[in-house]
């Protein structure tokens, strides 16, 4: 299953997206209270926006807009809403998104395309290791996508390695959908209980929520740790968000997540809200296509990325997104060095002794960024502390404050009661 537009030329893809954009602008002007006001406030006549380059005439939409005017983004009567989801609220108050029947069909199509991109077919069975409840869009998307593709799916939910292995041994899934660090717990459980995990027929894992690769697409420390134990599985990175209702998933070449041109327009913008030059990093800014309930126009995701525009060996000519460098609001200025939390993850994932951790970012009394890494380890020795400190110095040229805590303390920080996914970064700074 591959949309034909994904293998069209770059010029054809651009023309296709511009036609879609014109229809979306007309829909927003007719149906969206927020964008009606936005166009009026900035004196924008939507009929003058003809090309993708013309999008720069429209000021972007921000997360604050969504938080402050959530209801104004709704484009349909309430009785047409079929499902409600909320964002995780990682960088602020959660936002509600309302989906119509058409939006749920689009969500299913998006995920079916993404699964197919990673080589999954109707003859495969997937085991879902994320929640499908708690107003969480991702779990619902995976279920709908598998159904659309015709593949089987086992809804086990998050955690509980014993139950995961019971399902794997009983139902023989060929792919897993999981947070990468949880795979290490699965492997550890299998080793402790003499489960021959290499012989269970699992071909690959759709990995969500944590980076697996460096910017050159080589496996990072976490990816290497998984592959050193479970050599037989292919690891596929995927990137998505509730706001986008769209995923960027790796193909078998594993050189970035592929863009689906019929579902989303993607821009990479600098701090002046202008497109960056080819090869430069910037903030991913998206315009959703084909969404009926709450479409977005030039929405700034807050994620810093690099786009890759050369053709892929898989035959697709779509833009690919490299690994997320970090969240713009989580950028840290620390002792003269600019850091993002994923760089800290890469250092910590080099240590098998570390069982769990969280990264806490604060401002000191002078308003300067401070970092405290709270670690649960097998043995909390001075030797391990020195090794971790030396590794930070070598890899990042700075050493954060490091504290050892017991495992339960770290897990309570990492998995808050109302949470739906692990919280690795606790950012206490005030804007």
């Amino acid at each position: 299953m591959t949309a034909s537009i994904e293998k069209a030329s770059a010029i054809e893809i651009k023309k296709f997206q511009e036609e879609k954009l014109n229809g979306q602008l007309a829909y927003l002007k007719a149906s969206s209270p927020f964008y009606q006001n936005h166009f009026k406030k900035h004196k924008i006549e939507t009929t003058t926006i003809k090309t993708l380059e013309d999008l720069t005439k429209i000021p972007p939409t921000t997360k604050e807009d969504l938080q402050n005017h959530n209801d104004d983004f709704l484009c349909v009567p309430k009785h047409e809403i079929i499902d409600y989801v909320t964002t995780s609220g990682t960088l602020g108050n959660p936002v509600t998104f309302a989906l119509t029947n058409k939006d749920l069909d689009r969500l299913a199509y998006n995920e079916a395309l993404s699964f197919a991109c990673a080589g999954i077919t109707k003859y495969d069975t997937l085991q879902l290791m994320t929640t499908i409840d708690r107003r969480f869009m991702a779990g619902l998307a995976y279920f709908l996508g598998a159904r659309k593709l015709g593949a089987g799916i086992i809804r086990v939910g998050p955690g509980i390695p014993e139950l995961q292995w019971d399902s794997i041994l009983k139902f023989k899934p060929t792919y897993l959908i999981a947070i990468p660090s949880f795979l290490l717990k699965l492997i550890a459980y299998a080793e402790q209980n003499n489960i021959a995990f290499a012989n269970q027929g699992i071909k690959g894992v759709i990995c969500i929520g944590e980076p697996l690769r460096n910017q050159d697409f080589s496996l990072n420390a976490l990816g290497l740790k998984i592959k050193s134990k479970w050599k037989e599985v292919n690891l596929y990175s995927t990137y998505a968000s509730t706001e986008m209702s769209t995923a960027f998933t790796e193909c078998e070449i594993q050189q970035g997540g592929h863009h689906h041109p019929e579902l989303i327009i993607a821009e990479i913008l600098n701090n002046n809200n202008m497109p960056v030059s080819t090869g430069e990093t910037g903030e991913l800014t998206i315009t959703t296509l084909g969404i009926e309930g709450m479409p977005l126009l030039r929405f700034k995701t807050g994620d810093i990325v690099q786009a890759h525009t050369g053709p892929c060996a898989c035959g697709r000519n779509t833009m690919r997104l490299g690994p997320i460098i970090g969240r713009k609001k989580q950028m840290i200025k620390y002792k003269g060095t600019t850091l993002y939390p994923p760089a800290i993850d890469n250092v910590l994932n080099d240590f098998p002794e570390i069982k769990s951790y969280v990264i806490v970012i604060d401002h000191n009394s002078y308003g300067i960024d401070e970092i405290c890494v709270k670690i649960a380890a097998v043995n909390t020795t001075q030797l391990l502390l020195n090794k971790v400190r030396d590794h930070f110095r070598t890899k990042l040229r700075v050493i954060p404050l490091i504290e050892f805590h017991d495992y339960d303390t770290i897990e309570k920080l990492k998995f808050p009661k109302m949470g739906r996914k692990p919280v690795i970064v606790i950012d206490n700074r005030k804007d």
Side-chain angles (χ1 to χ4, degrees):
M1 180 179 182
T2 302
S4 58
I5 190 61
E6 297 187 10
K7 294 191 175 183
S9 69
I11 293 174
E12 290 171 318
I13 291 173
K14 182 175 184 292
K15 183 180 178 181
F16 172 87
Q17 288 216 298
E18 288 170 348
E19 291 174 357
K20 290 275 189 179
L21 173 62
N22 290 335
Q24 188 75 337
L25 287 169
Y27 181 70
L28 291 171
K29 185 177 180 180
S31 307
S32 172
F34 176 83
Y35 285 110
Q36 287 168 353
N37 182 62
H38 195 63
F39 297 148
K40 182 178 179 181
K41 178 181 177 181
H42 297 286
K43 297 180 173 60
I44 296 164
E45 178 48 62
T46 56
T47 56
T48 66
I49 310 298
K50 300 291 187 184
T51 67
L52 298 185
E53 290 81 6
D54 290 339
L55 280 170
T56 57
K57 299 175 184 178
I58 305 173
T61 305
T62 66
K63 289 181 183 284
E64 289 74 20
D65 291 327
L66 276 173
Q67 290 164 348
N68 295 333
H69 308 283
N70 202 175
D71 292 346
D72 289 342
F73 283 85
L74 187 62
C75 294
V76 298
K78 193 169 183 179
H79 70 267
E80 293 186 17
I81 299 167
I82 302 300
D83 191 69
Y84 291 90
V85 298
T86 52
T87 61
S88 59
T90 305
L91 297 178
N93 295 326
V95 171
T96 297
F97 275 83
L99 286 77
T100 65
N101 255 325
K102 181 180 176 182
D103 294 336
L104 289 172
D105 288 342
R106 179 192 176 282
L107 190 64
Y109 177 66
N110 158 74
E111 208 58 58
L113 277 179
S114 296
F115 285 153
C117 196
I120 299 171
T121 73
K122 65 180 181 180
Y123 300 105
D124 286 302
T125 301
L126 297 86
Q127 183 154 316
L128 179 60
M129 299 182 177
T130 68
T131 185
I132 197 170
D133 54 7
R134 300 190 184 184
R135 306 193 303 264
F136 190 43
M137 178 181 276
L140 175 64
Y142 298 134
F143 175 77
L144 293 175
R147 186 168 179 265
K148 177 75 173 177
L149 189 62
I153 190 162
I154 310 158
R155 296 177 290 108
V156 181
I160 321 177
E162 182 179 4
L163 180 59
Q164 302 291 353
W165 277 114
D166 177 73
S167 294
I168 291 170
L169 296 172
K170 187 177 294 182
F171 301 116
K172 304 296 182 184
T174 48
Y175 285 85
L176 310 178
I177 305 170
I179 294 168
S181 56
F182 182 67
L183 295 177
L184 296 175
K185 294 182 180 181
L186 272 187
I187 292 167
Y189 183 91
E191 290 175 334
Q192 292 162 10
N193 292 275
N194 298 314
I195 297 172
F197 56 90
N199 301 320
Q200 300 307 321
I202 296 171
K203 296 185 285 187
V205 184
I206 305 299
C207 294
I208 67 169
E210 295 172 341
L212 273 178
R213 303 192 188 282
N214 300 308
Q215 289 303 309
D216 64 357
F217 300 116
S218 62
L219 289 172
N220 63 15
L222 177 58
L224 288 171
K225 191 182 293 186
I226 296 167
K227 287 289 285 184
S228 70
K229 292 282 189 177
W230 209 345
K231 298 179 178 63
E232 297 76 17
V233 300
N234 285 309
L235 303 176
Y236 297 94
S237 294
T238 186
Y239 163 71
S241 71
T242 301
E243 295 92 341
M244 296 192 300
S245 288
T246 312
F248 291 77
T249 302
E250 288 183 331
C251 67
E252 68 272 18
I253 308 301
Q254 299 176 331
Q255 294 288 299
H258 276 281
H259 171 220
H260 301 312
E262 62 194 304
L263 300 178
I264 200 167
I265 293 170
E267 304 173 80
I268 314 296
L269 302 184
N270 61 22
N271 289 333
N272 296 317
N273 295 327
M274 297 298 290
V276 301
S277 299
T278 302
E280 291 185 354
T281 61
E283 183 173 2
L284 177 64
T285 301
I286 58 95
T287 296
T288 55
L289 300 172
I291 287 182
E292 191 174 56
M294 294 180 67
L296 296 175
L297 176 64
R298 298 203 85 210
F299 174 74
K300 299 177 73 173
T301 64
D303 292 325
I304 305 301
V305 300
Q306 180 180 353
H308 299 263
T309 55
C312 182
C314 73
R316 294 175 179 86
N317 293 317
T318 50
M319 180 198 75
R320 291 165 288 121
L321 286 185
I324 303 302
I325 296 166
R327 296 276 183 92
K328 188 173 183 178
K329 284 192 174 181
Q330 288 179 346
M331 185 181 76
I332 310 164
K333 291 283 190 178
Y334 188 65
K335 297 181 180 178
T337 298
T338 298
L339 297 175
Y340 289 97
I344 299 174
D345 294 332
N346 282 342
V347 172
L348 297 172
N349 285 326
D350 275 337
F351 292 90
E353 306 97 317
I354 294 176
K355 295 171 63 180
S356 188
Y357 64 87
V358 292
I359 302 162
V360 182
I361 313 169
D362 281 291
H363 276 153
N364 65 18
S365 58
Y366 299 101
I368 297 171
D369 291 348
E370 295 287 356
I371 309 169
C372 178
V373 181
K374 298 178 183 288
I375 294 172
V378 176
N379 292 302
T380 56
T381 63
Q382 186 64 43
L383 177 61
L384 176 59
L385 176 61
N386 291 342
K387 285 168 63 179
V388 173
R389 287 170 58 86
D390 288 345
H391 207 47
F392 269 109
R393 184 186 294 110
T394 301
K395 287 286 188 75
L396 302 182
R397 300 189 302 279
V398 292
I399 305 172
L401 175 65
I402 298 169
E403 295 179 354
F404 286 127
H405 295 268
D406 64 85
Y407 182 77
D408 288 343
T409 297
I410 299 300
E411 289 296 284
K412 285 178 181 177
L413 291 171
K414 196 171 180 179
F415 295 95
K417 282 186 178 179
M418 295 297 289
R420 303 176 304 197
K421 55 186 179 182
V423 176
I424 307 296
V425 181
I426 301 171
D427 194 341
N428 296 322
R429 295 173 297 180
K430 304 298 181 184
D431 290 338

